[in-house]
Amino acid sequence: MVLTTTNSIEGFKILEYKGIVTGVSVNAKKASFSFKMDKYYASVEATMNDAKEEAFQRLTDNAKKLDANAVVGIKLDLETNPNLAMTMVSVTGTAVHVVPNK
C-alpha cells in the first residue's frame, strides 16, 4: 500500500478513485511522570507515535476494504489534551487504484 501526502505518485497512473478514507486513534495512556524532563518528553513522544501508527494502520485497513492499493493526499491532524492525558491522531486521504506508467 502506497501512502503519500501528495496528490499523485511519481511513476504511477491513478486509474480509479475509490473514496475518502480515514484512520483515527485516541490514546489515553498516561505519559509516565518523571522529574527528569527528557524521560517525560520521551514518554510523550512514544505515546504520540503509538497513536500515529495505529491511525495509519486503520487508514490502510479502510483503504483495503475499498480494494485500493494506494492513498493519496493524506492529511494528518494531531490533538493533545494534557488534562485528560489524551492524544488523538486522525489521518484522512483519498483511496485510489494505481498502476505503473508504461
Side-chain angles (χ1 to χ4, degrees):
M1 176 77 58
V2 178
L3 305 174
T4 182
T5 58
T6 61
N7 292 325
S8 61
I9 304 168
E10 187 174 338
F12 289 85
K13 178 180 179 179
I14 295 174
L15 287 186
E16 186 178 1
Y17 291 87
K18 301 287 189 169
I20 295 172
V21 289
T22 60
V24 177
S25 174
V26 178
N27 192 331
K29 285 192 268 182
K30 290 192 176 196
S32 62
F33 181 76
S34 173
F35 289 106
K36 294 188 178 195
M37 291 308 290
D38 57 335
K39 286 185 180 180
Y40 172 73
Y41 292 140
S43 176
V44 170
E45 181 180 354
T47 300
M48 291 175 124
N49 283 335
D50 289 347
K52 180 186 66 130
E53 290 303 319
E54 185 176 323
F56 271 100
Q57 185 59 54
R58 289 180 178 172
L59 174 87
T60 301
D61 292 345
N62 289 332
K64 287 177 181 177
K65 289 176 186 175
L66 297 176
D67 291 325
N69 62 354
V71 180
V72 297
I74 293 175
K75 303 287 188 244
L76 183 131
D77 183 36
L78 173 75
E79 293 184 35
T80 60
N81 185 327
N83 295 329
L84 299 175
M86 179 200 75
T87 301
M88 185 192 85
V89 177
S90 173
V91 287
T92 304
T94 303
V96 295
H97 183 77
V98 296
V99 294
N101 282 337
K102 294 184 178 185

XYZ file of all heavy atoms in Angstrom:
774
model
N 0.868 -1.177 0.000
C 0.000 0.000 0.000
C 0.908 1.232 0.000
O 1.737 1.396 0.892
C -0.884 -0.036 1.236
C -1.771 1.162 1.440
S -3.252 1.283 0.417
C -4.120 -0.198 0.800
N 0.723 2.082 -1.005
C 1.473 3.332 -1.084
C 0.673 4.409 -0.360
O -0.514 4.601 -0.633
C 1.719 3.749 -2.549
C 2.451 5.067 -2.615
C 2.467 2.663 -3.301
N 1.318 5.094 0.577
C 0.691 6.195 1.314
C 1.498 7.455 1.055
O 2.716 7.445 1.218
C 0.675 5.895 2.823
C 0.026 4.582 3.257
C 0.232 4.366 4.748
C -1.447 4.573 2.918
N 0.812 8.531 0.649
C 1.537 9.764 0.349
C 0.687 10.996 0.635
O -0.543 10.948 0.546
C 2.009 9.783 -1.122
O 2.760 10.986 -1.356
C 0.852 9.716 -2.093
N 1.369 12.076 0.968
C 0.676 13.343 1.189
C 0.446 14.087 -0.126
O -0.336 15.027 -0.166
C 1.483 14.248 2.140
O 2.779 14.466 1.576
C 1.607 13.618 3.515
N 1.101 13.641 -1.178
C 0.937 14.299 -2.474
C -0.332 13.793 -3.158
O -0.900 12.775 -2.767
C 2.159 14.035 -3.383
O 2.272 12.627 -3.612
C 3.428 14.568 -2.752
N -0.754 14.493 -4.205
C -1.987 14.120 -4.918
C -1.738 13.149 -6.060
O -2.683 12.742 -6.744
C -2.697 15.367 -5.428
C -3.241 16.192 -4.280
O -3.676 15.647 -3.269
N -3.190 17.499 -4.415
N -0.487 12.799 -6.291
C -0.144 11.822 -7.314
C 1.083 11.059 -6.833
O 1.723 11.440 -5.861
C 0.141 12.509 -8.654
O 1.236 13.394 -8.518
N 1.392 9.966 -7.538
C 2.547 9.144 -7.192
C 3.423 9.062 -8.432
O 2.981 8.566 -9.478
C 2.117 7.737 -6.739
C 1.137 7.828 -5.561
C 3.330 6.901 -6.374
C 0.442 6.528 -5.240
N 4.654 9.538 -8.315
C 5.562 9.554 -9.456
C 5.748 8.132 -9.984
O 5.977 7.194 -9.227
C 6.913 10.130 -9.045
C 7.843 10.342 -10.209
C 9.124 11.054 -9.813
O 9.139 11.734 -8.784
O 10.100 10.908 -10.561
N 5.591 7.986 -11.306
C 5.753 6.683 -11.936
C 4.496 5.835 -11.953
O 4.522 4.706 -12.427
N 3.399 6.374 -11.425
C 2.136 5.636 -11.382
C 1.007 6.488 -11.948
O 1.045 7.716 -11.882
C 1.777 5.235 -9.950
C 2.654 4.163 -9.376
C 3.862 4.482 -8.783
C 2.278 2.829 -9.443
C 4.687 3.500 -8.253
C 3.082 1.836 -8.917
C 4.295 2.178 -8.326
N 0.017 5.803 -12.483
C -1.169 6.474 -13.011
C -2.363 6.045 -12.164
O -2.554 4.855 -11.895
C -1.400 6.070 -14.467
C -2.627 6.687 -15.088
C -2.786 6.244 -16.536
C -4.040 6.866 -17.109
N -4.227 6.500 -18.514
N -3.161 7.019 -11.741
C -4.373 6.708 -10.983
C -5.448 6.273 -11.973
O -5.828 7.025 -12.865
C -4.843 7.922 -10.158
C -3.805 8.267 -9.091
C -6.205 7.639 -9.517
C -4.093 9.537 -8.306
N -5.918 5.031 -11.809
C -6.970 4.510 -12.687
C -8.358 4.752 -12.123
O -9.311 4.950 -12.871
C -6.795 3.002 -12.899
C -5.661 2.543 -13.782
C -5.740 1.034 -13.987
C -5.676 3.253 -15.130
N -8.459 4.706 -10.796
C -9.786 4.807 -10.192
C -9.681 5.421 -8.801
O -8.812 5.072 -8.016
C -10.395 3.407 -10.086
C -11.814 3.376 -9.617
C -12.372 1.952 -9.583
O -11.665 0.989 -9.908
O -13.548 1.827 -9.208
N -10.592 6.345 -8.553
C -10.722 6.927 -7.220
C -11.771 6.113 -6.473
O -12.905 6.006 -6.909
C -11.134 8.396 -7.305
C -10.037 9.276 -7.863
C -9.896 9.455 -9.232
C -9.130 9.907 -7.024
C -8.885 10.245 -9.755
C -8.108 10.700 -7.537
C -7.995 10.868 -8.897
O -6.987 11.648 -9.404
N -11.383 5.566 -5.326
C -12.270 4.672 -4.575
C -13.091 5.406 -3.520
O -14.167 4.958 -3.164
C -11.455 3.578 -3.890
C -10.649 2.721 -4.842
C -11.552 1.800 -5.604
C -10.749 0.778 -6.392
N -11.591 -0.271 -6.938
N -12.560 6.492 -2.981
C -13.285 7.245 -1.968
C -12.371 7.764 -0.873
O -11.195 7.429 -0.802
N -12.942 8.568 -0.015
C -12.197 9.145 1.103
C -12.129 8.115 2.227
O -13.125 7.461 2.541
C -12.868 10.440 1.595
C -12.810 11.496 0.490
C -12.203 10.951 2.868
C -13.611 12.738 0.789
N -10.942 7.966 2.805
C -10.747 7.044 3.920
C -10.125 7.788 5.097
O -9.424 8.788 4.908
C -9.874 5.832 3.532
C -10.621 4.899 2.604
C -8.568 6.269 2.904
N -10.404 7.291 6.286
C -9.845 7.899 7.491
C -9.294 6.806 8.408
O -9.642 5.639 8.296
C -10.902 8.691 8.281
O -11.950 7.803 8.659
C -11.471 9.836 7.475
N -8.466 7.244 9.299
C -7.978 6.394 10.377
C -7.851 7.273 11.607
O -7.259 8.349 11.540
N -8.449 6.854 12.701
C -8.437 7.651 13.930
C -7.938 6.779 15.072
O -8.299 5.605 15.176
C -9.844 8.195 14.259
C -9.837 8.950 15.575
C -10.345 9.081 13.133
N -7.130 7.370 15.920
C -6.658 6.683 17.114
C -6.701 7.657 18.280
O -6.232 8.790 18.173
C -5.228 6.181 16.929
O -4.737 5.638 18.138
N -7.291 7.217 19.370
C -7.298 8.006 20.602
C -6.516 7.203 21.628
O -6.878 6.071 21.945
C -8.725 8.272 21.110
C -8.690 9.041 22.418
C -9.520 9.030 20.058
N -5.437 7.785 22.093
C -4.566 7.105 23.030
C -4.665 7.814 24.375
O -4.233 8.954 24.513
C -3.132 7.125 22.495
C -2.229 6.209 23.253
O -2.438 5.952 24.426
N -1.204 5.720 22.582
N -5.257 7.146 25.338
C -5.455 7.757 26.658
C -4.448 7.258 27.684
O -4.649 7.437 28.866
C -6.871 7.487 27.143
N -3.365 6.647 27.209
C -2.336 6.213 28.140
C -1.662 7.431 28.754
O -1.374 8.405 28.055
C -1.269 5.383 27.429
C -1.713 3.994 27.085
C -0.531 3.168 26.661
C -0.357 3.248 25.164
N 0.725 2.457 24.637
N -1.414 7.363 30.005
C -0.732 8.469 30.658
C 0.751 8.367 30.390
O 1.337 7.290 30.476
C -0.988 8.446 32.158
C -2.402 8.797 32.522
C -2.530 9.040 33.983
C -3.965 9.478 34.271
N -4.107 10.088 35.555
N 1.322 9.506 30.068
C 2.771 9.554 29.941
C 3.350 9.398 31.335
O 2.820 9.923 32.301
C 3.200 10.883 29.320
N 4.413 8.640 31.419
C 4.997 8.426 32.744
C 5.614 9.724 33.246
O 6.362 10.384 32.542
C 6.029 7.306 32.696
O 7.078 7.656 31.824
N 5.272 10.064 34.459
C 5.773 11.302 35.047
C 7.165 11.045 35.595
O 7.444 10.012 36.187
C 4.858 11.789 36.166
C 5.340 13.070 36.783
C 5.177 14.261 36.121
C 5.982 13.062 38.003
C 5.638 15.445 36.670
C 6.448 14.232 38.563
C 6.270 15.430 37.899
N 8.025 12.017 35.367
C 9.386 11.916 35.868
C 9.880 13.313 36.182
O 9.469 14.287 35.559
C 10.278 11.273 34.802
O 11.624 11.311 35.209
N 10.742 13.392 37.151
C 11.346 14.687 37.459
C 12.388 15.059 36.424
O 12.820 16.194 36.353
C 11.947 14.679 38.870
C 10.895 14.670 39.942
C 10.645 13.520 40.665
C 10.140 15.800 40.192
C 9.660 13.503 41.642
C 9.153 15.795 41.163
C 8.915 14.641 41.895
N 12.780 14.101 35.630
C 13.720 14.373 34.532
C 12.889 14.615 33.281
O 12.191 13.728 32.803
C 14.672 13.206 34.335
C 15.594 13.016 35.528
C 16.638 11.981 35.229
C 17.563 11.873 36.432
N 18.765 11.168 36.115
N 12.970 15.813 32.763
C 12.119 16.198 31.628
C 12.416 15.375 30.381
O 11.516 15.095 29.603
C 12.252 17.691 31.326
C 11.650 18.576 32.418
S 9.940 18.154 32.856
C 9.082 18.667 31.399
N 13.663 14.959 30.182
C 13.960 14.173 28.984
C 13.219 12.837 29.011
O 12.747 12.362 27.981
C 15.461 13.967 28.802
C 16.144 13.301 29.992
O 15.629 13.408 31.121
O 17.203 12.673 29.772
N 13.047 12.232 30.174
C 12.276 10.990 30.280
C 10.794 11.255 30.028
O 10.110 10.468 29.377
C 12.463 10.345 31.645
C 13.806 9.695 31.827
C 13.883 8.977 33.153
C 15.231 8.321 33.342
N 15.304 7.613 34.633
N 10.300 12.371 30.529
C 8.893 12.733 30.307
C 8.635 12.972 28.826
O 7.667 12.454 28.266
C 8.531 13.973 31.126
C 7.156 14.510 30.804
C 6.012 13.849 31.230
C 7.004 15.662 30.039
C 4.747 14.324 30.924
C 5.746 16.145 29.728
C 4.626 15.478 30.172
O 3.382 15.944 29.850
N 9.523 13.741 28.182
C 9.349 14.014 26.753
C 9.432 12.731 25.933
O 8.699 12.559 24.957
C 10.378 15.028 26.255
C 10.190 16.412 26.816
C 11.280 17.184 27.188
C 8.920 16.958 26.977
C 11.108 18.464 27.705
C 8.743 18.236 27.492
C 9.843 18.977 27.855
O 9.667 20.236 28.368
N 10.306 11.819 26.292
C 10.410 10.542 25.580
C 9.125 9.742 25.732
O 8.657 9.106 24.780
C 11.602 9.750 26.099
N 8.517 9.795 26.906
C 7.255 9.096 27.146
C 6.131 9.705 26.306
O 5.323 8.985 25.712
C 6.904 9.161 28.627
O 5.660 8.581 28.870
N 6.073 11.030 26.234
C 5.066 11.715 25.421
C 5.268 11.368 23.948
O 4.313 11.070 23.222
C 5.109 13.238 25.637
C 4.242 13.966 24.619
C 4.677 13.580 27.053
N 6.509 11.379 23.492
C 6.808 11.053 22.102
C 6.378 9.627 21.774
O 5.778 9.370 20.723
C 8.299 11.220 21.830
C 8.686 10.921 20.398
C 10.172 11.084 20.145
O 10.905 11.529 21.042
O 10.589 10.755 19.024
N 6.651 8.686 22.658
C 6.259 7.296 22.430
C 4.740 7.166 22.352
O 4.209 6.445 21.490
C 6.816 6.406 23.542
N 4.022 7.869 23.224
C 2.565 7.832 23.207
C 2.017 8.384 21.893
O 1.118 7.805 21.282
C 2.001 8.640 24.402
O 2.474 8.049 25.605
C 0.488 8.644 24.402
N 2.587 9.503 21.424
C 2.140 10.100 20.161
C 2.454 9.178 18.980
O 1.625 9.007 18.087
C 2.798 11.456 19.953
C 2.325 12.506 20.905
S 3.254 14.019 20.671
C 1.926 15.150 20.368
N 3.630 8.578 18.980
C 3.995 7.684 17.883
C 3.100 6.458 17.840
O 2.721 6.002 16.759
C 5.463 7.269 17.992
C 6.403 8.355 17.528
O 6.037 9.214 16.726
N 7.614 8.352 18.042
N 2.749 5.914 19.004
C 1.834 4.768 19.042
C 0.478 5.131 18.445
O -0.093 4.377 17.649
C 1.642 4.270 20.479
C 2.874 3.585 21.033
O 3.796 3.261 20.258
O 2.912 3.372 22.269
N -0.040 6.304 18.811
C -1.338 6.751 18.288
C -1.257 6.984 16.779
O -2.167 6.615 16.030
C -1.787 8.019 18.997
N -0.167 7.551 16.306
C 0.007 7.817 14.875
C 0.062 6.507 14.088
O -0.601 6.361 13.058
C 1.274 8.634 14.635
C 1.523 8.953 13.169
C 2.852 9.633 12.969
C 3.936 8.697 13.297
N 5.032 8.465 12.434
N 0.831 5.547 14.571
C 0.942 4.258 13.882
C -0.407 3.542 13.823
O -0.763 2.959 12.798
C 1.989 3.375 14.559
C 3.411 3.865 14.374
C 3.816 3.999 12.917
O 3.478 3.119 12.096
O 4.462 5.004 12.591
N -1.155 3.602 14.913
C -2.475 2.968 14.941
C -3.424 3.642 13.956
O -4.178 2.972 13.239
C -3.058 3.027 16.347
C -4.364 2.290 16.489
C -4.871 2.278 17.922
O -4.060 2.177 18.858
O -6.103 2.384 18.091
N -3.381 4.971 13.866
C -4.249 5.701 12.934
C -3.902 5.356 11.485
O -4.799 5.133 10.659
C -4.130 7.207 13.168
N -2.606 5.271 11.171
C -2.205 4.915 9.804
C -2.591 3.465 9.473
O -2.965 3.170 8.340
C -0.705 5.143 9.579
C -0.402 6.535 9.101
C 0.048 7.503 9.974
C -0.573 6.882 7.767
C 0.320 8.788 9.547
C -0.302 8.161 7.317
C 0.147 9.120 8.208
N -2.526 2.579 10.455
C -2.937 1.199 10.212
C -4.433 1.138 9.917
O -4.876 0.415 9.017
C -2.596 0.307 11.408
C -2.895 -1.160 11.164
C -2.134 -1.724 9.977
O -0.920 -1.629 9.913
N -2.848 -2.301 9.019
N -5.223 1.903 10.643
C -6.671 1.929 10.396
C -6.983 2.547 9.034
O -7.890 2.094 8.338
C -7.376 2.684 11.517
C -7.364 1.895 12.806
C -8.038 2.606 13.927
N -8.026 1.743 15.116
C -8.402 2.118 16.306
N -8.847 3.344 16.519
N -8.342 1.285 17.316
N -6.243 3.582 8.642
C -6.405 4.182 7.315
C -6.136 3.132 6.241
O -6.914 2.966 5.300
C -5.454 5.372 7.155
C -5.417 6.002 5.767
C -6.510 7.050 5.650
C -4.058 6.606 5.491
N -5.033 2.404 6.393
C -4.666 1.362 5.427
C -5.728 0.273 5.361
O -6.123 -0.159 4.271
C -3.297 0.751 5.805
O -2.317 1.797 5.811
C -2.880 -0.319 4.827
N -6.209 -0.170 6.514
C -7.252 -1.201 6.549
C -8.511 -0.728 5.836
O -9.135 -1.483 5.076
C -7.586 -1.581 7.991
C -6.450 -2.305 8.700
O -5.511 -2.776 8.016
O -6.503 -2.382 9.944
N -8.903 0.524 6.052
C -10.100 1.063 5.404
C -9.912 1.186 3.897
O -10.849 0.966 3.123
C -10.492 2.406 6.021
C -11.038 2.240 7.426
O -11.596 1.197 7.763
N -10.874 3.250 8.251
N -8.705 1.525 3.452
C -8.434 1.611 2.016
C -8.490 0.229 1.376
O -9.027 0.060 0.278
C -7.073 2.258 1.777
N -7.969 -0.780 2.076
C -8.001 -2.151 1.547
C -9.438 -2.643 1.387
O -9.742 -3.384 0.459
C -7.232 -3.095 2.457
C -5.725 -2.921 2.363
C -5.003 -3.844 3.337
C -3.510 -3.643 3.261
N -2.788 -4.476 4.256
N -10.326 -2.224 2.276
C -11.737 -2.616 2.176
C -12.378 -2.089 0.902
O -13.367 -2.630 0.421
C -12.521 -2.112 3.390
C -12.194 -2.842 4.670
C -12.938 -2.240 5.849
C -12.498 -2.866 7.162
N -13.115 -2.212 8.325
N -11.811 -1.008 0.353
C -12.319 -0.434 -0.898
C -11.548 -0.951 -2.114
O -11.703 -0.433 -3.215
C -12.225 1.100 -0.840
C -13.060 1.794 0.224
C -12.791 3.297 0.217
C -14.541 1.530 0.004
N -10.707 -1.962 -1.923
C -9.853 -2.522 -2.974
C -8.896 -1.485 -3.557
O -8.594 -1.511 -4.753
C -10.692 -3.159 -4.092
C -11.402 -4.406 -3.631
O -10.832 -5.137 -2.804
O -12.544 -4.641 -4.080
N -8.416 -0.599 -2.724
C -7.429 0.394 -3.150
C -6.029 -0.170 -2.907
O -5.832 -1.012 -2.037
C -7.610 1.689 -2.371
N -5.068 0.309 -3.696
C -3.685 -0.083 -3.455
C -2.799 1.114 -3.122
O -1.578 1.004 -3.051
C -3.119 -0.883 -4.629
C -3.080 -0.098 -5.918
O -3.562 1.022 -6.000
N -2.517 -0.709 -6.943
N -3.445 2.277 -2.913
C -2.705 3.475 -2.514
C -3.677 4.482 -1.898
O -4.889 4.412 -2.131
C -2.010 4.110 -3.719
N -3.115 5.390 -1.119
C -3.887 6.507 -0.576
C -3.082 7.768 -0.838
O -1.907 7.866 -0.469
C -4.154 6.362 0.945
C -4.967 7.542 1.458
C -4.871 5.050 1.244
N -3.711 8.733 -1.514
C -3.044 9.986 -1.849
C -3.678 11.141 -1.073
O -4.783 11.016 -0.547
C -3.110 10.270 -3.374
C -2.361 9.199 -4.161
C -4.544 10.383 -3.858
N -2.972 12.257 -1.030
C -3.498 13.467 -0.411
C -3.724 13.331 1.091
O -4.649 13.934 1.636
N -2.875 12.573 1.763
C -3.071 12.331 3.195
C -2.824 13.605 4.002
O -1.849 14.315 3.796
C -2.146 11.209 3.693
C -2.562 9.879 3.060
C -2.167 11.109 5.214
C -1.641 8.721 3.395
N -3.759 13.866 4.894
C -3.642 14.970 5.856
C -3.663 14.354 7.249
O -4.421 13.425 7.513
C -4.809 15.954 5.721
C -4.972 16.545 4.341
C -3.897 17.560 4.051
C -4.186 18.283 2.762
N -3.223 18.059 1.724
N -2.857 14.899 8.136
C -2.753 14.388 9.498
C -3.141 15.486 10.475
O -2.742 16.635 10.324
C -1.311 13.942 9.766
C -1.062 13.323 11.123
C -0.297 12.036 10.950
C -0.322 14.258 12.020
N -3.961 15.128 11.447
C -4.363 16.070 12.491
C -4.037 15.430 13.832
O -4.398 14.280 14.076
C -5.860 16.370 12.395
C -6.311 17.405 13.404
O -5.547 18.350 13.685
O -7.428 17.266 13.927
N -3.361 16.180 14.674
C -2.951 15.678 15.980
C -3.458 16.621 17.046
O -3.293 17.842 16.937
C -1.422 15.605 16.042
C -0.809 15.265 17.379
C -0.987 13.782 17.668
C 0.649 15.633 17.404
N -4.112 16.062 18.053
C -4.598 16.864 19.179
C -4.150 16.216 20.473
O -4.158 14.992 20.589
C -6.126 16.949 19.168
C -6.693 17.722 18.001
C -8.194 17.852 18.075
O -8.735 17.969 19.197
O -8.828 17.825 17.019
N -3.793 17.043 21.414
C -3.446 16.530 22.736
C -4.250 17.289 23.776
O -4.603 18.449 23.587
C -1.949 16.696 23.047
O -1.612 18.076 22.998
C -1.096 15.927 22.076
N -4.535 16.596 24.855
C -5.205 17.218 25.990
C -4.477 16.754 27.247
O -4.708 15.649 27.731
C -6.675 16.817 26.048
C -7.419 17.543 27.146
O -6.867 17.847 28.197
N -8.685 17.813 26.896
N -3.572 17.600 27.749
C -2.786 17.180 28.907
C -3.635 16.943 30.157
O -3.289 16.117 30.989
C -1.803 18.319 29.122
C -2.218 19.425 28.238
C -3.211 18.907 27.257
N -4.768 17.622 30.277
C -5.627 17.428 31.451
C -6.232 16.034 31.472
O -6.467 15.466 32.534
C -6.746 18.472 31.488
C -6.201 19.870 31.682
O -5.171 20.064 32.323
N -6.872 20.845 31.111
N -6.509 15.485 30.291
C -7.073 14.141 30.196
C -6.014 13.103 29.847
O -6.332 11.933 29.690
C -8.178 14.103 29.130
C -9.376 15.010 29.364
C -10.309 14.958 28.168
C -10.111 14.619 30.640
N -4.764 13.540 29.704
C -3.666 12.656 29.287
C -4.051 11.902 28.025
O -3.913 10.688 27.927
C -3.280 11.709 30.411
N -4.572 12.637 27.027
C -5.095 12.030 25.808
C -4.379 12.588 24.588
O -4.086 13.783 24.523
C -6.586 12.317 25.681
C -7.207 11.747 24.441
S -8.764 12.547 24.019
C -8.199 14.087 23.357
N -4.111 11.702 23.645
C -3.583 12.080 22.343
C -4.517 11.503 21.295
O -4.845 10.321 21.340
C -2.167 11.511 22.135
O -1.311 12.002 23.153
C -1.616 11.903 20.778
N -4.964 12.349 20.346
C -5.813 11.875 19.258
C -5.134 12.187 17.936
O -4.681 13.310 17.727
C -7.182 12.534 19.266
C -8.091 11.933 18.210
S -9.598 12.845 17.909
C -9.032 14.035 16.731
N -5.055 11.180 17.084
C -4.487 11.345 15.750
C -5.539 10.934 14.744
O -6.155 9.870 14.873
C -3.215 10.494 15.566
C -2.690 10.625 14.146
C -2.148 10.886 16.566
N -5.757 11.792 13.751
C -6.687 11.500 12.675
C -5.954 11.684 11.352
O -5.312 12.712 11.140
C -7.887 12.451 12.752
O -8.713 12.296 11.620
N -6.019 10.678 10.484
C -5.441 10.781 9.146
C -6.550 10.551 8.128
O -7.394 9.676 8.297
C -4.270 9.798 8.930
C -3.039 10.242 9.669
C -4.637 8.399 9.321
N -6.552 11.365 7.080
C -7.575 11.294 6.037
C -6.894 11.392 4.681
O -5.940 12.155 4.514
C -8.576 12.467 6.189
O -9.130 12.430 7.498
C -9.692 12.372 5.169
N -7.379 10.625 3.720
C -6.840 10.683 2.371
C -7.820 10.102 1.374
O -8.938 9.705 1.747
N -7.415 10.054 0.128
C -8.240 9.507 -0.937
C -7.684 8.141 -1.352
O -6.542 8.046 -1.796
C -8.280 10.453 -2.156
O -8.752 11.720 -1.736
C -9.176 9.898 -3.251
N -8.501 7.112 -1.197
C -8.119 5.761 -1.610
C -8.218 5.682 -3.141
O -9.201 6.135 -3.723
C -9.033 4.737 -0.966
N -7.181 5.129 -3.751
C -7.124 5.040 -5.217
C -6.562 3.689 -5.639
O -5.951 2.974 -4.846
C -6.253 6.169 -5.823
C -6.847 7.530 -5.577
C -4.825 6.101 -5.304
N -6.793 3.379 -6.906
C -6.132 2.215 -7.524
C -5.157 2.765 -8.540
O -5.547 3.514 -9.446
C -7.145 1.276 -8.199
C -6.485 0.066 -8.763
N -6.085 -0.984 -7.996
C -6.118 -0.223 -10.026
C -5.498 -1.883 -8.762
N -5.513 -1.447 -10.009
N -3.886 2.406 -8.391
C -2.854 2.896 -9.298
C -2.172 1.744 -10.029
O -2.175 0.610 -9.551
C -1.772 3.724 -8.532
C -2.365 4.971 -7.921
C -1.078 2.888 -7.468
N -1.611 2.074 -11.184
C -0.793 1.124 -11.943
C 0.462 1.870 -12.380
O 0.452 3.086 -12.554
C -1.545 0.570 -13.178
C -2.730 -0.280 -12.766
C -1.968 1.678 -14.110
N 1.573 1.125 -12.567
C 2.806 1.778 -13.033
C 2.615 2.377 -14.429
O 1.914 1.807 -15.278
C 3.827 0.651 -13.065
C 3.253 -0.442 -12.216
C 1.755 -0.287 -12.293
N 3.248 3.528 -14.664
C 3.253 4.127 -16.002
C 4.086 3.242 -16.909
O 5.066 2.648 -16.506
C 3.880 5.524 -15.982
C 2.919 6.553 -15.441
O 1.710 6.387 -15.452
N 3.479 7.641 -14.931
N 3.682 3.173 -18.159
C 4.437 2.388 -19.142
C 5.265 3.265 -20.007
O 5.095 4.364 -20.236
C 3.493 1.542 -19.977
C 2.824 0.493 -19.148
C 1.964 -0.395 -19.999
C 1.344 -1.466 -19.119
N 0.590 -2.435 -19.848
